Amino acid sequence: MASDPFSTRRFNRFHGRVESDRPCAVPGCEEPGEFRAPPLEGSTANREGPNWRWLCLDHVREFNQGYNFFTGMSPEEIAAAQRPYAGWERETRAFSSNAASPPPKWSDFQDPLDAIGAKFKERVAKARADSQMRQDGKYLSRDDRRALDVMGLPIDADRKALRQRYTELLRRFHPDHNGGDRGHEASLQGVIEAYQLLRKAEAFA
């Protein structure tokens, strides 16, 4: 009984070569048949599994050059196969709505080297380093703290204090409360921008 050539498979620089003493399947060729190729059309070999022909390097190259993927297809089938997005409209079986089993869950994903988790932790650590926690457990970003400095408020100021301070500064810097003097317009604009940022911040939600 001949041994399975794939059990002692040895490869060299030609991908797919299986060294063996079998002859090339092309009549008259004495080179070893080391490369698999589909059987000839009309072949009716009666055996289980794929019925391969084994060809030498020159003959498998000749077969590959003459291979036509579209052989036997109708013009419509060829046009459909040549579309740029051919195949993308089909759902992957694992994620199909009628798949036999539900899609995989992220909780099932294994990350033994912590390649994804480490990156996430790094981003969280950086975000925390750029922020500051208040006594109520809410974080203030660097921009939040800069806006509080503009408003002249401590980091633990609440929403009520923010509104009161905003009203106070509007009256201080607005031209209508300074006899038309526009010398504080830059300060007024800074206060308005700081308030708009803080009122939407998580710490003042």
Side-chain angles (χ1 to χ4, degrees):
M1 180 177 179
S3 61
D4 181 359
F6 291 98
S7 63
T8 57
R9 177 180 296 183
R10 290 184 295 147
F11 296 100
N12 59 13
R13 67 190 182 92
F14 294 110
H15 178 69
R17 165 175 274 171
V18 180
E19 295 184 9
S20 172
D21 295 331
R22 73 172 67 80
C24 176
V26 175
C29 181
E30 298 180 356
E31 294 296 319
E34 298 176 323
F35 298 89
R36 291 191 305 178
L40 293 172
E41 293 185 10
S43 175
T44 57
N46 185 17
R47 53 167 290 184
E48 294 183 359
N51 182 23
W52 301 109
R53 287 186 302 151
W54 291 91
L55 304 178
C56 66
L57 179 60
D58 289 338
H59 284 119
V60 81
R61 282 174 170 168
E62 181 181 334
F63 169 80
N64 289 337
Q65 290 175 354
Y67 178 75
N68 186 353
F69 174 80
F70 301 108
T71 298
M73 290 188 181
S74 66
E76 293 77 14
E77 291 172 332
I78 294 175
Q82 290 178 327
R83 287 188 301 107
Y85 303 108
W88 286 96
E89 66 275 8
R90 295 192 300 270
E91 290 183 305
T92 303
R93 182 170 57 182
F95 294 92
S96 174
S97 58
N98 58 356
S101 58
K105 301 177 181 178
W106 277 110
S107 58
D108 298 333
F109 182 77
Q110 300 296 320
D111 188 17
L113 299 180
D114 202 25
I116 297 176
K119 194 67 176 179
F120 175 75
K121 293 174 185 176
E122 179 183 339
R123 290 181 178 179
V124 171
K126 186 178 185 305
R128 292 288 173 86
D130 290 341
S131 63
Q132 182 175 355
M133 182 184 287
R134 307 198 317 175
Q135 292 182 357
D136 57 7
K138 295 182 178 180
Y139 280 91
L140 290 170
S141 69
R142 182 180 300 174
D143 290 339
D144 294 339
R145 298 199 306 274
R146 189 179 297 116
L148 284 172
D149 288 340
V150 171
M151 300 289 290
L153 290 171
I155 64 170
D156 288 308
D158 58 15
R159 194 173 184 86
K160 180 179 179 181
L162 175 63
R163 287 197 301 267
Q164 290 176 344
R165 182 63 173 168
Y166 178 61
T167 301
E168 176 187 343
L169 293 176
L170 281 183
R171 290 174 178 171
R172 180 184 302 178
F173 297 132
H174 201 283
D176 291 349
H177 297 278
N178 290 279
D181 181 7
R182 296 183 176 276
H184 302 289
E185 283 189 342
S187 298
L188 177 63
Q189 184 62 33
V191 167
I192 293 174
E193 291 177 356
Y195 175 74
Q196 292 300 326
L197 186 149
L198 291 172
R199 75 184 186 88
K200 299 176 182 177
E202 181 182 353
F204 293 92

